[in-house]
Amino acid sequence: MEIDPFIFRLSIFILSIFIGYYVVWSVTPSLHTPLMSVTNAISSVIIVGAIIAALAGSSESAFDISSIFGFLAIVLAAINIFGGFLVTQRMLQMYKKKKDKKK
Amino acid sequence: MISANLSAVFYLISGILFILALRGLSSPDTSRQGNYFGIAGMIIAIIVTFLSVGNFSTSLIYVVIFLLIGGAIGAFIAFRIPMTAMPELVAGFHSLVGLAAVFVAVAAFLNPEAFNLGVVGGIKLASLIEMSIGAAVGAITFSGSIIAFLKLRGIMSGSPITFGGQHILNLILGIGIFVLIYYLCNTQSANIFWTVIIISFIVGVLLIIPIGGADMPVVISMLNSYSGWAAAGIGFTLENTALIITGALVGSSGAILSYIMCTAMNRSFVSVILGGFGADSSSDNTKEKEDQKPVKSGNAEDAAFLMKNASSVIIVPGYGMAVAQAQHALREMVDKLKKNDIKVTYAIHPVAGRMPGHMNVLLAEANVPYDEVFELEDINNDFANSDVAFVIGANDVTNPVAKTDPKSPIFGMPVLDVEKCKSVLFVKRSLSPGYAGIDNELFYKDNTLMLFADAKKMTEDIVKNLD
């Protein structure tokens, strides 16, 4: 009997939780705020679902009800992606060591 | 159009890049590189999605336009937001992830063919369960984050809102969601799907309103975690590895942060969720104590004198510093002290501020080098060997009562041993108790000098007096 593909995805999911667990514990506490903003940005990879939904509209009408939800989700996710990565970058730029400061 | 297998490989690569993005945050040196990994992962995921759909009709133009609109808004916010507003920003971003998850789930429900999930009214059972869980968690994340945002922004009062039967109501609604999903699977009815989403919105609101302002670090971390689980739920629906990996990463990241925050307050996660902490701030003995004990208070001149004659000073910042925006003035003060060869370090309690790492970001903004900033466990032994502790805007996290009085609500919470310093300078507006609603014994110690003023103004005055 074949294994359901769902089981493979579940395996990926569970193993990723473990990876997340170990990776996040190694994040230094002083970077916990950038951690939150970057996780925000990457969880917006949900935009792939939004793009699929938006592109599903027929060629006569690009906006049927399901693709409209897709387009809305694209806007929301894009705010998050750009906002999340840029604000993380901005924060990380500020973390400096002692010697950098005393030019 | 590229094959499903090839796109799956690329999604895996972007998932790995996201792991590396988080890995980079283990040290500030590698963190910027990590962020670039994250950006690369995102670009790969988006491009592969375009290629795998391969439908380059007029829709594509609209997709790009909407992407750019969102991107422009996001970039505008990212550049304009002041660092003190980070907690609100993160809460706001969480709400967007949640709502995006809801929208994608709705789109998949309305047009399952586009996602290969079956036909309208005949969606595959597993997909239906996955998308309703994704939608429900997304909706909870959305409305919960909105409430957190309003509380952090001060639009809504930070004090807990509680009413009788609250927890029972939440429980009933929670069970209701599962029952409805069960019926949804049997009937495929759109109305039930909408009801699930609406109830989830309500649950999100109800979950967050009873939680008080200073528990916000836990709330934000928790919502971070939820947004991850919502993404993972949608990832299962779309059979997309990048989303599943990311969802799991974000979900566990948020969960770990919540755990760290809870330990730092010595509270169980359940008690934070149930909320209501700090609602009854008038415990009986608090009031009497205030009248009896003498308090020494001083002015900027005294503080400057004390610090000038010290050889080591430890700064303890808290939420009050963020409110008063005193970090730049503080940095100026420290520069002056350093010129006099005084050793200055910063001690940060894990729950200082309104989100994990809040104080670190503010100090970094004020150009404080990160190797002068220490976490609780790394610096706590140094207080005994230091001359002055300068407490600015922190309160409960310095209260020695947590170590001495088993009856105190914060007993057992790890605190900074500020009282072991030769002298303590405590910048505070008044003697009022902190968020936990308990009196701080530190105010009445012989070696404590209270500086009653706004944190920023007091620090500026001290700077003047240091000349």
Side-chain angles (χ1 to χ4, degrees), chain A residues 8-22, chain B residues 19 244-245 248-249 252:
Chain A
F8 286 116
R9 286 191 282 276
L10 190 67
S11 317
I12 295 173
F13 179 64
I14 307 260
L15 292 176
S16 302
I17 293 177
F18 276 91
I19 295 173
Y21 179 85
Y22 289 108
Chain B
I19 296 174
I244 295 177
I245 295 177
L249 288 179
S252 54

Side-chain angles (χ1 to χ4, degrees), chain B residues 304 308 336 339-340 461-467:
Chain B
K308 243 191 231 169
K336 287 249 163 82
K339 259 185 214 149
N340 295 331
D461 287 350
I462 295 175
V463 173
K464 278 179 211 143
N465 280 292
L466 278 174
D467 289 324

Side-chain angles (χ1 to χ4, degrees), chain A residues 9-83:
Chain A
R9 286 191 282 276
L10 190 67
S11 317
I12 295 173
F13 179 64
I14 307 260
L15 292 176
S16 302
I17 293 177
F18 276 91
I19 295 173
Y21 179 85
Y22 289 108
V23 169
V24 171
W25 270 116
S26 73
V27 170
T28 164
S30 68
L31 291 175
H32 275 161
T33 298
L35 171 68
M36 303 201 83
S37 60
V38 84
T39 49
N40 234 309
I42 63 173
S43 54
S44 303
V45 74
I46 200 157
I47 197 168
V48 300
I51 293 173
I52 296 173
L55 286 180
S58 58
S59 38
E60 302 94 66
S61 67
F63 299 96
D64 60 16
I65 179 130
S66 125
S67 58
I68 287 173
F69 276 108
F71 282 115
L72 290 176
I74 287 179
V75 175
L76 298 178
I79 294 177
N80 247 321
I81 293 171
F82 282 73

Side-chain angles (χ1 to χ4, degrees), chain B residues 238-256:
Chain B
L238 307 183
E239 312 186 340
N240 182 306
T241 336
L243 250 179
I244 295 177
I245 295 177
T246 316
L249 288 179
V250 177
S252 54
S253 159
I256 291 172

Side-chain angles (χ1 to χ4, degrees), chain B residues 389-409:
Chain B
F390 186 75
V391 183
I392 174 164
N395 187 0
D396 291 334
V397 297
T398 62
N399 197 341
V401 117
K403 289 174 286 189
T404 52
D405 181 6
K407 274 178 285 180
S408 162

Side-chain angles (χ1 to χ4, degrees), chain B residues 41-56:
Chain B
M42 187 60 72
I43 293 172
I44 291 177
I46 292 175
I47 290 177
V48 168
T49 309
F50 279 126
L51 293 178
S52 66
V53 175
N55 164 18
F56 297 110

Side-chain angles (χ1 to χ4, degrees), chain B residues 151 158-163 166-167 170 206-216 218-219 222 267-280 435:
Chain B
K151 285 193 172 193
S159 53
I161 300 168
T162 47
F163 53 86
Q166 195 164 22
H167 305 315
N170 285 345
L206 291 174
L207 268 181
I208 307 301
I209 52 168
I211 305 181
D215 276 340
M216 278 301 153
V218 183
V219 171
M222 188 178 84
R267 309 209 18 227
S268 75
F269 187 65
V270 176
S271 85
V272 174
I273 297 301
L274 294 181
F277 192 67
D280 47 345
Y435 150 76

